[in-house]
Amino acid sequence: MAEHLSQSELDYPFKLLEYFNGFRVSKVIFTACELGVFDLLLKSHDPVSAQHVAQELSTSVDGIQRLLDALVGIEILEVETTDGTALYSSTDVANLYLAKGSAKSLHDMIIYQSQTVYPLWNNMVDAVREGKNQNEKTFGLRPEDIFRAIYRSEEEMLKFMGLMNSTWVLDGHDVVTAFNLSCFQNIIDLGGCTGALAREMVKAYPSSSVSVFDLPQVVEMAQKHFSQENDAVAFLTGDFFSGELPPADLYVLARIIHDWPEEKSLALLKKIYDICKPGGGVLLVEALLFENRRGPVMAQTFSLNMLVQTEGRERPPSEYTKILNKSGFSNIQVCWTGKTYDAILAIR
């Protein structure tokens, strides 16, 4: 940043102040989602007053008006004044991504960020000092039991599964079409959670058979809370670290490798390589770092999140290539999607 600062930025650090206050902006959106502001406004046919919102959501009028004004300031809501009364309404972005009912809703992702990730990041100083996750300090759970922390209750499991579902509703199409995967007849999404990414795979490759392989309790919750009518995705139960893998032409590991240290990732990829037939392979879906360490900022902050929550990290393509080479794969292609998540395809 320093190399490109203008004199006006040196005279007054606008960008730094924007960064300093980033957490406040996040919390404005998080709070509005948790209170149900966007759902209420979506259902309202006409603009509404702060008094009406406060009454419907059981909040103080003063508090909700300040929150609504901040949402207007960051251009998530609209406001108009009629006879001295401020009347608020939603924008298309809020209706599409922040209300629960939308097909592209990120509501579950936001709830997870607010209630799980945000408390963990409060201990970021300790994570950096110690080089390990902060599950014990934040949730009272052993640092090595990362998915016991993530799945520490049915409520927490549903929050995490909602996060994953939102992620692939948003980014799924881009990553499954990063390469032409139509040659793979049998595709298994290892750790596929709710099946959201697998459903995007079915849409893109209707002639392929697509299954999700995940822990029994995850599959049970997925089928109970995230099932879809006439679902073309099959669900299989097991543990890809300790159990046998079902046969497939292509294995998908989406946001899996970044959770673990290299040795554990290498063991899993070797396991996949050994079961793959010639022409079979693995598709990694991760937020890739630039080789020159200059970004993307989103992936860099995700890597810090891996520090504070898991045992893993985000990596540049060269590091994934090295791990894949060590596991036996040599035909490796990388695709930057231009979105949050990128794709790496390795063929045996």
Side-chain angles (χ1 to χ4, degrees):
M1 182 175 111
E3 296 175 7
H4 309 290
L5 285 179
S6 65
Q7 186 58 49
S8 63
E9 188 73 25
L10 289 171
D11 291 339
Y12 193 87
F14 290 99
K15 190 59 99 175
L16 274 177
L17 291 173
E18 180 184 333
Y19 292 159
F20 292 168
N21 285 285
F23 76 97
R24 301 176 201 248
V25 175
S26 299
K27 261 304 185 182
V28 166
I29 300 170
F30 295 169
T31 300
C33 276
E34 292 187 61
L35 289 172
V37 169
F38 303 113
D39 304 299
L40 175 63
L41 293 179
L42 178 61
K43 294 172 186 174
S44 301
H45 297 294
D46 299 307
V48 297
S49 66
Q51 287 83 352
H52 175 79
V53 177
Q55 182 177 352
E56 292 294 314
L57 302 182
S58 301
T59 72
S60 68
V61 176
D62 179 48
I64 203 69
Q65 185 149 39
R66 297 186 200 204
L67 183 66
L68 293 171
D69 285 343
L71 289 164
V72 171
I74 59 175
E75 301 181 350
I76 287 178
L77 296 184
E78 296 284 358
V79 67
E80 60 187 57
T81 302
T82 303
D83 297 328
T85 300
L87 300 175
Y88 301 88
S89 58
S90 259
T91 59
D92 290 340
V93 167
N95 287 337
L96 186 61
Y97 292 114
L98 301 178
K100 285 183 186 178
S102 167
K104 288 192 173 184
S105 176
L106 302 180
H107 181 273
D108 289 345
M109 178 187 292
I110 288 166
I111 296 302
Y112 187 81
Q113 298 279 9
S114 181
Q115 298 181 0
T116 300
V117 174
Y118 195 88
L120 281 161
W121 275 64
N122 196 45
N123 294 312
M124 180 58 72
V125 171
D126 291 323
V128 171
R129 280 180 177 150
E130 300 164 7
K132 66 179 184 180
N133 70 57
Q134 296 299 302
N135 288 320
E136 186 169 18
K137 187 166 292 182
T138 310
F139 304 120
L141 295 163
R142 296 194 311 170
E144 60 269 26
D145 294 334
I146 67 170
F147 274 89
R148 188 170 294 176
I150 290 171
Y151 295 158
R152 58 191 180 276
S153 68
E154 183 171 315
E155 179 186 6
E156 293 302 322
M157 181 184 287
L158 273 175
K159 285 181 192 175
F160 178 76
M161 293 177 75
L163 161 73
M164 297 302 292
N165 202 67
S166 295
T167 297
W168 302 130
V169 166
L170 189 65
D171 284 275
H173 175 76
D174 292 291
V175 295
V176 303
T177 58
F179 303 99
N180 183 355
L181 305 176
S182 59
C183 60
F184 300 105
Q185 292 303 302
N186 183 12
I187 301 172
I188 294 183
D189 186 358
L190 298 176
C193 202
T194 68
L197 184 62
R199 291 184 186 99
E200 292 298 325
M201 194 78 73
V202 168
K203 290 177 192 175
Y205 309 105
S207 63
S208 297
S209 169
V210 184
S211 304
V212 166
F213 183 84
D214 216 317
L215 298 170
Q217 65 267 36
V218 175
V219 169
E220 181 183 355
M221 296 287 276
Q223 294 178 320
K224 182 178 179 182
H225 296 280
F226 298 93
S227 62
Q228 294 187 3
E229 191 175 350
N230 301 319
D231 204 340
V233 174
F235 284 83
L236 308 171
T237 60
D239 185 327
F240 52 66
F241 279 122
S242 61
E244 291 187 5
L245 298 179
D249 301 313
L250 179 71
Y251 295 92
V252 180
L253 290 172
R255 291 185 54 170
I256 301 294
I257 297 299
H258 77 165
D259 288 332
W260 308 103
E262 183 173 327
E263 59 272 18
K264 195 161 185 175
S265 300
L266 182 58
L268 176 57
L269 289 169
K270 279 183 175 177
K271 191 174 186 178
I272 292 171
Y273 180 83
D274 289 342
I275 199 174
C276 274
K277 295 177 181 177
V282 60
L283 178 72
L284 305 186
V285 180
E286 300 286 1
L288 295 178
L289 294 167
F290 295 152
E291 299 288 353
N292 65 7
R293 299 183 175 270
R294 294 183 179 274
V297 174
M298 183 82 76
Q300 290 169 326
T301 59
F302 283 179
S303 198
L304 280 169
N305 195 68
M306 293 301 97
L307 171 66
V308 81
Q309 188 173 19
T310 72
E311 295 179 338
R313 63 191 308 119
E314 307 299 348
R315 299 173 172 90
S318 61
E319 290 189 25
Y320 284 110
T321 298
K322 182 182 73 172
I323 297 172
L324 286 163
N325 285 156
K326 283 184 179 179
S327 66
F329 292 98
S330 56
N331 184 357
I332 300 165
Q333 304 171 66
V334 177
C335 180
W336 297 84
T337 67
K339 304 289 179 64
T340 302
Y341 293 97
D342 306 297
I344 299 177
L345 179 63
I347 306 297
R348 175 164 182 173

